[in-house]
Amino acid sequence: MPPTTDDRVAELERANAELSRELAACAAELNEARGRERAVSAILEAISRSPADARPVFDAIVENATRLCQAEFTAVARFDGELLHLVAINNLSPEETTAFHSLFPRPPTRNFAMGRTFLEDRPVQFADVLAEPDYDPGTLTTLQSVIRYRSFLGVPIRREGRPIGVIGCGRRAVQPVSDAEIAILETFADQAAIALENARLLAETREALEQQTATAEVLQVINGSPGELQPVFEAILEKGHELCGVARGSLQLYDGEKFSAVAVHGLSGALADRLREGYRPGPTYPVWRILEGERFIHTPDLAEIDDPLARRIVALGGARTLLWVALRRDDKLFGLIAAARLEVRPFSEKEIALLESFAAQAVIAMDNARLLNEIRQRQAELRVTFDNMGDGVAMFDAGLRLAAWNRNFVEILDLPERLLDARPGYADFLRLLAERGEFGIDDIEGELARRLAQTDRELRLERTRPDGRVVEVRRNTVPGGGFVLIYSDITERKRAEAEIRAARDAAERALRELQAAQASLVHAQKMAALGQLTAGIAHEIKNPLNFVNNFADLSVELLGELKDAATPVVSTLGDDERAELEETIDTLSGNLGKIAEHGRRADGIVKSMLQHSRGDGGDWQTVDLNALVDEALNLAYHGARAQYENFNITLERDFDHSLAPIEIVPQDVVRVFLNLFGNSFYAALKKSHEIDGGFRPLLRVATRDLGETVEIRVRDNGTGIAPEHRERLFQPFFTTKPTGEGTGLGLSISYDVVTQRHGGTIAVDSKAGEFTEFTVQLPRRRRAAAGRAT
């Protein structure tokens, strides 16, 4: 059956009613959104109006939260690091408001809604506070007896991901808050965080600005009163106490024994006088710890300190909380700043840091005053020294005008006082000197132009003045511009220098002649002494020695002839007698051979002594030193192989092949190196016998071209030389070898050949048991000063 007209009308009416309901719902949502928007705008407007004060923002938040969340009241609490503080609440009677305020400040705990919200850092809703088993009974009793709320919602206020406060809404009926209403409170919580952050930043900025302003004012006092400490101390004390909210205090100096107040703030006459008189803190008084090196002492309640001085300060000044900050630099204590509060209210870390900064400024002021006093004293000393200088001194500033002068400057140049009082420029000063004829008469304008064009350069010259006196003029530039002129009358000095120079030249000539004569005399005396010694030895030993040698040889020959002549007779003897006779003849032959051997050795000693006394060894020749040293090394090596059984040594040659020929006496130099090589071979062989295996004897010979000289180094790894023997090493007849193994003349001859004959040097470096190194330096060409070189 098709629908009738009435059915269609009814259906249209139902659709119209549904549409009306939807339109009403949309209108309600629109009104709610507009309400939220108006609330947010009101809160933002409050934030913009009072960026430094969050209270108007909190008032706007609780008012709009109560209205939009259909709550009986809304509260805001702020966390200070330890406790929650109630900062805003609305829509309650005075009695209810007082009851709610009585619960704060309090630590955030789980037994009340706002505390649990803070700890869990999330929205927390108590649908019915009476049904919460953990709820604080005291809080519950107080609030239920006065406010009588049942449902409560808490939303955390966050900054940088951490809770800094709580917003809470309460209803007297058991009616939980919807999610939409929770979202509204979270929006308000974000705005509260912005308000708190703005207030914190502005407070810190204002505090920093106040501190900077106070610091700048103290610095102005320091700059405005250089060397005067009292205004500085008073300004530091006033500004430090003002910024820290301190009623009373003092600035005290320490003289090494006691503290004395030099500035006081807010103290009574009796206590101020007592502190000005000075006191010595005992071990029970907190200031004692300042003496032991602590930076500051913070006493929350001085009344709790059992010390006579502490009790007196409490009685006379009413001080309770005290802070002492040391004035110290480089571990030296200058004093302290004392700040006292009349109530028990500890100082914050920022306040302590602020007073420490003022203490540092006080120390700087004291140091500046000390330096300024030293400078003033030094200036006075310099002024006295300046006026009493023997030279004339004048200073020209960066504008080249006369700035300062001393008395001798006026006297040396005979300058008029009116000229100096006018503070002339450098050009006027030079022109005055030119008019007096100080620069001669040739090209005066050119001379003036040159001097004016070079004022930034150092100047030093001597000038003979028209009156015949000689003056030395020095111009020294000054950093920052300008220069100093120094006039010295050197007439007497020049005359004395000429006389001294003439006397010195004569003395130097005489000294050179004396040194040459002395060297010749010393050498002659030495050679004469050696000549006399060798002559005596030759006279006393040579003839007996020849007799011994000749008769030993003759006895050997006669013994041989006797043996030949007695052969027939000997053959008739028995075997035992014949063997005994032959053994006796052989023993006599051996003894005579040893006598001849030692006689020849003694003869060699005598010849060496005679050779040492003669000195001349040949003619000067230009030779290849490398080849000469190598030849001497080979001769010494083969001689040692022949002398010592099973002798062996490693030879290292490090010759400078760029070495040019050198002018020497070859026979003498070969003798030097044969002595050095022989000693090295002996030391290495001796060490190998001492170590008995595991030792590798080594001799290293090196030559180097040093320009005007040539260097030869001879180094062995033998027994070395004891330190006490080195100074005597080149003395005649001194030897480190056992008796009978050395004459003590080899190194003495070598020393004379190198130093006297060739004008060179010979030195030794050694460490006992490790090495010995001789260093010989020979001039490339013979020198006239060398001993007997001609």
Side-chain angles (χ1 to χ4, degrees):
M1 179 178 177
T4 64
T5 302
D6 292 338
D7 294 335
R8 292 191 180 95
V9 170
E11 185 177 352
L12 289 173
E13 288 177 352
R14 286 193 299 272
N16 188 33
E18 182 67 24
L19 180 60
S20 296
R21 285 193 298 272
E22 291 178 358
L23 288 174
C26 290
E29 290 180 2
L30 179 60
N31 289 332
E32 184 179 350
R34 288 175 176 173
R36 287 197 301 269
E37 183 178 352
R38 286 193 299 271
V40 171
S41 298
I43 294 171
L44 292 176
E45 183 179 356
I47 292 175
S48 64
R49 283 199 312 267
S50 57
D53 185 7
R55 186 172 298 279
V57 179
F58 296 148
D59 291 341
I61 287 174
V62 297
E63 178 184 352
N64 286 279
T66 300
R67 178 174 53 81
L68 292 177
C69 295
Q70 299 177 1
E72 269 71 34
F73 67 92
T74 302
V76 178
R78 177 181 59 82
F79 186 64
D80 67 354
E82 294 182 1
L83 304 174
L84 284 172
H85 296 262
L86 188 65
V87 295
I89 193 169
N90 77 321
N91 213 33
L92 294 177
S93 67
E95 181 185 4
E96 293 171 335
T97 301
T98 301
F100 209 96
H101 271 285
S102 68
L103 302 173
F104 293 90
R106 65 190 299 178
T109 56
R110 293 182 52 82
N111 58 4
F112 71 104
M114 298 182 80
R116 187 179 300 182
T117 300
F118 182 87
L119 293 177
E120 295 184 2
D121 191 17
R122 65 177 181 83
V124 174
Q125 181 168 201
F126 288 179
D128 186 356
V129 295
L130 298 180
E132 289 294 326
D134 297 331
Y135 211 89
D136 178 36
T139 302
L140 188 63
T141 301
T142 300
L143 297 181
Q144 290 304 309
S145 63
V146 180
I147 305 175
R148 295 181 296 278
Y149 71 92
R150 298 292 295 275
S151 295
F152 194 90
L153 169 68
V155 174
I157 302 172
R158 296 188 186 91
R159 184 184 69 214
E160 297 178 354
R162 293 184 300 174
I164 60 173
V166 178
I167 296 177
C169 288
R171 289 173 176 171
R172 289 189 171 89
V174 178
Q175 182 184 356
V177 180
S178 66
D179 292 341
E181 291 168 337
I182 293 175
I184 292 173
L185 282 184
E186 287 180 332
T187 301
F188 290 161
D190 293 339
Q191 293 172 331
I194 294 173
L196 286 172
E197 182 67 7
N198 288 346
R200 183 186 66 82
L201 292 175
L202 286 174
E204 290 181 356
T205 302
R206 184 182 297 111
E207 182 181 349
L209 181 60
E210 290 174 352
Q211 293 179 7
Q212 290 176 359
T213 302
T215 301
E217 292 175 357
V218 172
L219 291 176
Q220 287 178 355
V221 174
I222 294 175
N223 294 331
S225 56
E228 298 181 17
L229 293 175
Q230 192 62 34
V232 177
F233 292 156
E234 293 176 354
I236 287 175
L237 200 60
E238 178 184 354
K239 295 301 178 182
H241 288 183
E242 177 183 337
L243 292 176
C244 294
V246 175
R248 298 175 182 177
S250 62
L251 192 150
Q252 306 170 17
L253 297 183
Y254 182 64
D255 62 4
E257 295 185 359
K258 62 182 181 178
F259 289 92
S260 302
V262 294
V264 297
H265 175 71
L267 295 179
S268 63
L271 182 57
D273 292 341
R274 177 68 182 87
L275 292 178
R276 289 192 182 100
E277 290 175 2
Y279 64 93
R280 294 181 177 87
T284 59
Y285 191 60
V287 172
W288 180 267
R289 289 153 55 193
I290 292 284
L291 296 176
E292 292 182 336
E294 295 193 27
R295 291 173 26 234
F296 64 87
I297 306 299
H298 188 197
T299 303
D301 191 354
L302 190 63
E304 297 178 354
I305 303 299
D306 186 13
D307 179 84
L309 182 58
R311 288 193 294 269
R312 187 170 184 181
I313 292 175
V314 173
L316 294 178
R320 298 297 297 274
T321 297
L322 262 89
L323 174 67
W324 294 274
V325 178
L327 307 179
R328 183 179 279 112
R329 179 174 61 82
D330 297 335
D331 296 331
K332 181 180 180 180
L333 181 64
F334 295 95
L336 57 83
I337 295 177
R341 285 175 173 159
L342 303 183
E343 71 280 6
V344 177
R345 181 162 57 93
F347 289 84
S348 67
E349 292 183 0
K350 289 185 178 180
E351 291 170 336
I352 295 174
L354 176 63
L355 285 179
E356 283 191 309
S357 69
F358 280 118
Q361 288 181 323
V363 173
I364 291 173
M366 295 170 68
D367 203 34
N368 289 346
R370 178 186 62 81
L371 293 175
L372 183 59
N373 290 334
E374 291 179 358
I375 290 173
R376 287 173 176 171
Q377 181 179 358
R378 184 60 178 161
Q379 284 177 336
E381 295 172 353
L382 290 176
R383 183 73 247 181
V384 173
T385 304
F386 188 55
D387 285 336
N388 289 276
M389 289 178 62
D391 297 334
V393 182
M395 179 180 292
F396 288 81
D397 58 23
L400 301 185
R401 300 194 67 83
L402 184 63
W405 63 90
N406 70 348
R407 184 179 63 253
N408 279 335
F409 179 74
V410 178
E411 294 178 356
I412 290 176
L413 295 179
D414 191 21
L415 297 173
E417 291 291 339
R418 58 179 179 79
L419 174 68
L420 300 176
D421 293 339
R423 308 277 176 155
Y426 187 49
D428 297 332
F429 171 72
L430 290 178
R431 194 167 297 280
L432 173 65
L433 297 183
E435 291 173 357
R436 291 181 171 185
E438 296 284 349
F439 305 135
I441 58 175
D442 297 331
D443 192 18
I444 293 178
E445 292 300 324
E447 179 68 19
L448 292 177
R450 284 191 295 274
R451 298 208 177 191
L452 289 172
Q454 299 177 356
T455 56
D456 58 341
R457 300 182 184 178
E458 303 287 336
L459 173 69
R460 188 184 186 99
L461 55 86
E462 294 179 2
R463 189 173 70 240
T464 302
R465 301 193 63 214
D467 59 4
R469 288 188 299 165
V470 181
V471 295
E472 180 186 61
V473 183
R474 287 169 287 167
R475 183 175 65 205
N476 300 327
T477 59
V478 176
F483 54 85
V484 175
L485 281 181
I486 303 175
Y487 282 79
S488 304
D489 188 342
I490 60 172
T491 306
E492 294 301 324
R493 193 184 80 189
K494 297 297 288 186
R495 183 182 300 112
E497 287 179 353
E499 294 175 356
I500 292 173
R501 189 162 44 250
R504 184 190 64 198
D505 293 343
E508 288 179 350
R509 286 194 300 271
L511 178 61
R512 286 194 297 270
E513 294 172 358
L514 178 61
Q515 288 175 339
Q518 185 180 21
S520 299
L521 179 60
V522 169
H523 184 70
Q525 289 175 344
K526 181 178 179 181
M527 292 300 103
L530 288 175
Q532 292 175 359
L533 178 62
T534 54
I537 292 174
H539 177 74
E540 297 295 332
I541 297 177
K542 189 67 175 176
N543 290 334
L545 186 60
N546 288 338
F547 178 82
V548 170
N549 291 338
N550 293 335
F551 275 90
D553 293 337
L554 179 60
S555 297
V556 171
E557 293 176 2
L558 291 176
L559 188 61
E561 292 176 1
L562 176 61
K563 185 177 181 180
D564 292 338
T567 297
V569 178
V570 170
S571 61
T572 62
L573 299 175
D575 293 338
D576 294 338
E577 294 175 344
R578 186 172 58 253
E580 183 179 356
L581 180 61
E582 290 177 352
E583 181 181 357
T584 301
I585 294 173
D586 291 338
T587 300
L588 288 174
S589 298
N591 291 341
L592 291 174
K594 291 180 180 179
I595 292 172
E597 177 187 353
H598 288 286
R600 286 191 295 272
R601 183 174 179 278
D603 188 53
I605 292 174
V606 172
K607 290 179 179 178
S608 295
M609 294 168 61
L610 292 173
Q611 187 180 43
H612 186 275
S613 65
R614 286 197 298 271
D616 291 335
D619 299 328
W620 289 81
Q621 299 178 24
T622 301
V623 300
D624 181 351
L625 187 63
N626 287 338
L628 186 87
V629 172
D630 191 57
E631 179 183 356
L633 182 60
N634 289 330
L635 288 174
Y637 176 71
H638 291 296
R641 291 289 299 269
Q643 183 177 2
Y644 305 119
E645 186 178 358
N646 298 326
F647 173 78
N648 202 357
I649 190 170
T650 300
L651 303 178
E652 289 186 359
R653 297 171 174 84
D654 183 13
F655 294 159
D656 186 350
H657 296 291
S658 63
L659 201 65
I662 181 173
E663 189 176 3
I664 57 174
V665 179
Q667 297 91 328
D668 288 351
V669 173
V670 167
R671 186 188 310 161
V672 170
F673 289 115
L674 287 176
N675 281 326
L676 296 182
F677 296 155
N679 288 339
S680 295
F681 291 157
Y682 178 85
L685 181 65
K686 183 177 179 182
K687 185 174 180 180
S688 65
H689 290 162
E690 293 175 353
I691 295 179
D692 192 19
F695 171 65
R696 175 175 170 264
L698 175 65
L699 175 67
R700 186 176 183 272
V701 183
T703 61
R704 291 288 181 272
D705 190 346
L706 303 181
E708 292 298 321
T709 61
V710 177
E711 181 182 85
I712 307 96
R713 290 180 178 268
V714 179
R715 182 185 180 99
D716 66 73
N717 61 348
T719 55
I721 303 171
E724 62 271 15
H725 293 159
R726 288 181 206 159
E727 294 183 358
R728 304 176 56 197
L729 203 60
F730 298 109
Q731 295 179 5
F733 304 109
F734 176 78
T735 179
T736 60
K737 297 177 183 179
T739 303
E741 294 188 17
T743 64
L745 295 173
L747 288 179
S748 175
I749 294 173
S750 299
Y751 182 83
D752 284 346
V753 168
V754 172
T755 60
Q756 298 295 329
R757 181 75 163 164
H758 289 81
T761 62
I762 180 170
V764 62
D765 183 23
S766 181
K767 186 172 182 181
E770 293 188 12
F771 75 93
T772 298
E773 183 176 56
F774 285 90
T775 302
V776 177
Q777 289 189 356
L778 298 173
R780 184 167 290 285
R781 290 177 176 79
R782 53 178 167 171
R783 299 173 182 171
R788 294 176 294 277
T790 57

